[in-house]
Structures are given as C-alpha cells and as structure tokens.
Amino acid sequence: MGNSVGTMGWVIRNWKIEIGGADHWIQLRHYTPTGSFQLFVDGNETVSERKVTKLEPIHFTIGEAPGKVTPSLATYSQITKGFKYECTFQGQKINELVFDTQDPPPIRPNLKARLLPKAMIRKSGDSKVVYYKVEVIDGDPLHQETYVLKKRFSDFEQLDHLVRSSFSGHHLQSNLPPKPSKSVKLWTDHLDKRFVHARRNELNKYIGKLFTLKKVTGNPDFAAFFKRPDEEEEFVVQEEGDEPEAKKKESTKAD
C-alpha cells in the first residue's frame, strides 16, 4: 500500500463518506520521499505540510463532524516499501477506494467520452498550444446532455498522475493503460498535423481503456476531469498578423 517507481514517490488515497444521502470525498496526496502531504475535502485543500513530518494523524472536519487520516510504517527502514493509511470518521473506519472496495460504483454511471477528430491551436504567449476536443455525454437517457471540453496534453498527463498515484502499491496498477507518451519539442513539431492526429488517437485509446476499469470510474479525479465548466468562455484562435474585426473597421474609416 505504498509508493511506486511509476509514480515517483507520490501516493494518493481516496475515501468516500456518505452523510444524509450526499457523498463527500477525502483525499490524501502524500509525497513519501520527504513526507510532505496535502489533504483535500470535497476537492478543497484543507491541510498541507511541505516539510518532513512525523507520522501523526491528519485531522479534518465535514460540517462539525471530526475525522482523521493516519499514515503509518512498521519501521522507518520500510520507507521504500510503503506506508499504510487509515481514515476514520466519527470513530468509524472508512473503506479506501482502491484497497478496501471490491467494485466501487462509478461516480457518474452514464458518463461517456471520446476525443473528436478535431484539434485547435491557440496562442499562449509567444508560442502556440494544441487543444484536443473531448466530447462528453452524461446523464440518464431522459436528461442527457452533450458538451465539448478543450484539453491540453498536459491535462491528460495530470489525470494520469492522479489516477496512477491512487493505485500506488496495488497490483492492479499494472492494469492501467500506458501513460500518454511525451516527445521533445526540439525533435518533434507538436503542431504538425500528422503528429497531432497520432497523439489524438493515442489519447482516445487511453481514455477508452480507463473507462473499462471500475476502480477508475469510481475515482473522483477521473469524474472531475470530464466536468462541465461553470462558464463556457469564448474560444478564439488568432494567427500571427490577424487583426480583430473592430480594428479593421476603424482602420478603414480612418483611410
């Protein structure tokens, strides 16, 4: 139940607590080489410690009800083999998502997603960035909604880090699809159409594989990746030398 070479020492654990019909998520992100950690309650960071810490309970509250997450080691010499983690809430032990739950139900049971055969290039400072379009279908058949998200390759890398670290120390980590491959910009043109197309296909297969794994579809970070933005911002791609329409009109009037 500990660290893994594949996650570079990061361990993530998730516990679901149901209160009054509502689900609340507790997440511990533990960087084992230094002992630093972050604790999240329903996606909000509530406790963090960036220095080497003692193995003491990490306390949290939901409403006014107390809980704690306790990391432990049999001996400090086992630090390379792995920590154990226990979450209790109001004195009751809570099952961890990957290690203590056999077949967790999906957080969003009707969720489907695929990468569309399209991509957008957007300026970011002096460089350009590729955004991949992810079509998301969610909701029961009578209240189904479809929307499109725009994701960078780095967003998929972050998703992989969060999901893979939650399996750290578990034999099922080997069932996860390979991490999306990264290439050095010095040797590869990331804006080349063939490269973008090949990467889109790779990412689409990666997401499709994750959807087949129950312990992934029950993961809060996986569900959050496909969440619809609260406000849909206007997305504009403007190439070098293009002028906004308003400026063109002003220039015409001046002439």
Side-chain angles (χ1 to χ4, degrees):
M1 295 175 67
N3 37 347
S4 159
V5 174
T7 56
M8 301 300 289
W10 278 100
V11 174
I12 294 180
R13 295 290 179 262
N14 297 286
W15 296 270
K16 183 172 72 172
I17 300 172
E18 185 177 337
I19 303 176
D23 291 338
H24 298 271
W25 283 96
I26 308 301
Q27 183 181 86
L28 176 71
R29 300 182 186 180
H30 188 196
Y31 186 56
T32 57
T34 64
S36 63
F37 65 84
Q38 297 165 280
L39 188 73
F40 294 79
V41 177
D42 292 331
N44 299 309
E45 184 178 319
T46 58
V47 183
S48 67
E49 177 58 63
R50 305 296 180 181
K51 300 177 294 184
V52 175
T53 57
K54 295 179 181 179
L55 296 178
E56 297 176 347
I58 307 163
H59 296 273
F60 65 88
T61 59
I62 299 177
E64 296 182 358
K68 64 181 179 181
V69 173
T70 307
S72 63
L73 280 172
T75 66
Y76 276 93
S77 64
Q78 289 184 331
I79 194 165
T80 57
K81 296 181 180 179
F83 289 78
K84 291 185 178 181
Y85 307 85
E86 182 177 271
C87 177
T88 57
F89 183 69
Q90 293 185 304
Q92 299 293 316
K93 180 183 175 182
I94 307 300
N95 287 336
E96 201 278 325
L97 174 67
V98 172
F99 287 84
D100 303 324
T101 309
Q102 185 64 31
D103 288 315
I107 295 176
R108 298 164 66 178
N110 298 300
L111 179 67
K112 298 177 182 179
R114 71 183 183 102
L115 271 76
L116 294 173
K118 300 176 182 178
M120 300 185 81
I121 299 175
R122 188 178 189 181
K123 280 191 174 181
S124 178
D126 295 330
S127 60
K128 295 179 181 179
V129 177
V130 177
Y131 284 81
Y132 297 89
K133 290 190 171 185
V134 182
E135 181 185 63
V136 180
I137 301 174
D138 197 11
D140 62 68
L142 296 178
H143 303 91
Q144 201 171 71
E145 62 172 348
T146 302
Y147 51 92
V148 176
L149 302 174
K150 305 172 188 74
K151 299 285 188 181
R152 297 177 58 171
F153 180 75
S154 58
D155 295 325
F156 291 92
E157 284 191 305
Q158 176 66 3
L159 172 65
D160 184 84
H161 164 70
L162 294 173
V163 170
R164 199 170 297 276
S165 297
S166 72
F167 282 81
S168 181
H170 197 289
H171 69 279
L172 288 180
Q173 190 182 63
S174 61
N175 288 355
L176 295 174
K179 179 180 177 180
S181 58
K182 195 167 187 175
S183 57
V184 181
K185 287 186 178 181
L186 184 64
W187 301 329
T188 307
D189 181 4
H190 286 196
L191 304 181
D192 179 77
K193 184 177 180 180
R194 288 170 297 180
F195 174 83
V196 173
H197 181 250
R199 175 169 275 184
R200 174 265 171 195
N201 289 343
E202 181 186 5
L203 293 174
N204 195 43
K205 289 179 183 178
Y206 171 76
I207 289 297
K209 175 64 175 176
L210 290 181
F211 267 103
T212 67
L213 304 175
K214 290 184 178 180
K215 289 184 185 291
V216 173
T217 57
N219 184 295
D221 291 311
F222 182 76
F225 184 80
F226 300 100
K227 182 182 177 183
R228 185 172 195 159
D230 294 331
E231 292 183 9
E232 189 69 27
E233 62 175 320
E234 185 182 357
F235 196 84
V236 180
V237 178
Q238 187 176 318
E239 293 291 342
E240 197 81 42
D242 287 353
E243 289 184 19
E245 208 57 41
K247 260 192 174 180
K248 287 182 180 179
K249 287 181 181 178
E250 286 177 14
S251 177
T252 304
K253 286 180 183 178
D255 290 344

